[in-house]
């Protein structure tokens, strides 16, 4: 691992996409086992105003990163131990994945296609022009900021659903299936007035006023599949 990072003067000051409060600048995490190349890339990125942390291996990066740190990864493809494609897979499976830009001296078309298919922001050779690399990093940082906002929104929505009582969740599942109050009452073995009370309560807790809004909220929270037809169990 490289010495402790030093913040740049430009990107860290103007970037506001790191957290909802904009108080944590994004970091470009560079992973490459080629020490001279790593040092040169670090100098270039710092000179361009980025906050940079460097790692000599994918394992060191995964052990040293904080999930709370926004940013992106610039990684070599072929490295001892865990290679770039395995690193991409590990990031994708984490709770807070980071976009990855591959910068490699050993790329080929099939590998590049596979990397992009699995969500890489770009696949560049180490001889790529500086502006092309910086453009890819900018896209990756913007993507990370957007995805973090979406994940924060989803966590907030799921917290609302978690606050429902067990009975409210039962009623909710039936409402989302398009069942009427009378049908829900029969299904759950309770009176229709109780169904109406639970339904009113859960909608108030979730902050919605219609079944359509409730269904949309459930989709946003990941409670219901986005492509599931309305009323399907």
């Amino acid at each position: 691992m490289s010495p402790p990072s030093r913040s740049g003067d430009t990107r860290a000051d103007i970037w506001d996409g790191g957290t909802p409060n904009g108080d944590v600048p994004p970091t470009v995490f560079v992973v490459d086992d080629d020490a001279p190349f790593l040092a040169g890339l670090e100098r270039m990125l710092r000179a361009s105003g980025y906050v940079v942390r460097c790692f000599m291996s994918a394992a060191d990066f995964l052990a040293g990163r904080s999930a709370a740190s926004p940013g992106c990864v610039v990684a070599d493809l072929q490295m001892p131990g865990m290679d770039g494609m395995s690193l991409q897979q590990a990031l994708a499976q984490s709770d807070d994945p980071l976009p990855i830009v591959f910068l490699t001296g050993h790329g080929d078309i099939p590998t590049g296609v596979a990397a992009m298919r699995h969500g890489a922001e770009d696949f560049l050779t180490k001889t790529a022009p500086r502006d092309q690399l910086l453009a890819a990093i900018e896209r990756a940082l913007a993507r990370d900021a957007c995805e973090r906002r979406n994940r924060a929104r989803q966590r907030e929505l799921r917290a609302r659903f978690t606050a429902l009582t067990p009975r409210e969740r039962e009623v909710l599942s039936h409402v989302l299936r398009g069942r009427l109050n009378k049908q829900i009452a029969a299904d759950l073995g309770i009176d229709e007035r109780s169904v109406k009370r639970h339904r009113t309560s859960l909608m108030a807790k979730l902050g919605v006023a219609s079944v359509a809004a409730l269904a949309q909220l459930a989709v946003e929270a990941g409670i219901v599949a986005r492509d599931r037809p309305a009323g399907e169990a």
Side-chain angles (χ1 to χ4, degrees):
M1 186 184 303
S2 70
S5 300
R6 301 176 300 280
S7 297
D9 296 329
T10 306
R11 303 290 176 185
D13 292 337
I14 66 173
W15 187 270
D16 64 354
T19 68
N21 296 323
D23 57 356
V24 178
T27 298
V28 179
F29 299 95
V30 185
V31 186
D32 199 310
D33 64 312
D34 183 339
F37 181 82
L38 191 66
L41 183 57
E42 179 181 20
R43 284 194 300 271
M44 186 275 282
L45 292 176
R46 289 193 189 284
S48 300
Y50 293 99
V51 179
V52 184
R53 290 188 65 193
C54 295
F55 300 84
M56 292 286 290
S57 73
D60 284 348
F61 163 67
L62 292 174
R65 74 166 289 222
S66 167
S69 297
C72 71
V73 177
V74 176
D76 194 4
L77 186 65
Q78 294 185 9
M79 296 179 286
M82 178 182 285
D83 63 14
M85 296 294 285
S86 297
L87 172 59
Q88 181 183 28
Q89 183 178 10
L91 286 171
Q93 293 173 347
S94 67
D95 291 335
D96 284 286
L98 291 173
I100 188 167
V101 175
F102 282 111
L103 188 62
T104 181
H106 306 282
D108 57 71
I109 293 176
T111 303
V113 169
M116 298 297 287
R117 201 172 274 166
H118 286 87
E121 185 59 40
D122 213 332
F123 190 91
L124 305 172
T125 65
K126 289 185 176 180
T127 58
R130 172 181 177 276
D131 289 348
Q132 190 174 357
L133 172 59
L134 296 182
I137 289 173
E138 283 295 302
R139 292 195 307 272
L141 293 178
R143 173 179 161 187
D144 179 62
C146 179
E147 290 177 350
R148 282 178 182 275
R149 287 192 294 268
N150 291 340
R151 288 195 296 270
R153 166 70 172 167
Q154 189 174 73
R155 283 192 287 265
E156 186 270 328
L157 292 180
R158 285 182 174 176
R160 290 195 217 172
F161 282 94
T162 300
L164 300 178
T165 66
R167 179 62 85 184
E168 287 168 348
R169 290 190 200 113
E170 286 182 319
V171 172
L172 170 66
S173 68
H174 285 74
V175 171
L176 292 176
R177 289 163 54 196
R179 305 285 283 173
L180 301 175
N181 288 346
K182 182 182 296 187
Q183 296 171 314
I184 297 173
D187 290 343
L188 299 181
I190 58 178
D191 60 80
E192 191 173 346
R193 182 177 299 177
S194 294
V195 172
K196 291 180 180 178
R197 185 176 68 254
H198 290 306
R199 185 166 177 161
T200 299
S201 176
L202 74 87
M203 293 184 75
K205 287 181 180 179
L206 295 175
V208 295
S210 68
V211 173
L214 177 63
Q216 179 59 36
L217 203 70
V219 169
E220 290 183 36
I223 305 299
V224 173
R226 188 172 295 275
D227 58 351
R228 196 184 79 177
E232 182 180 309

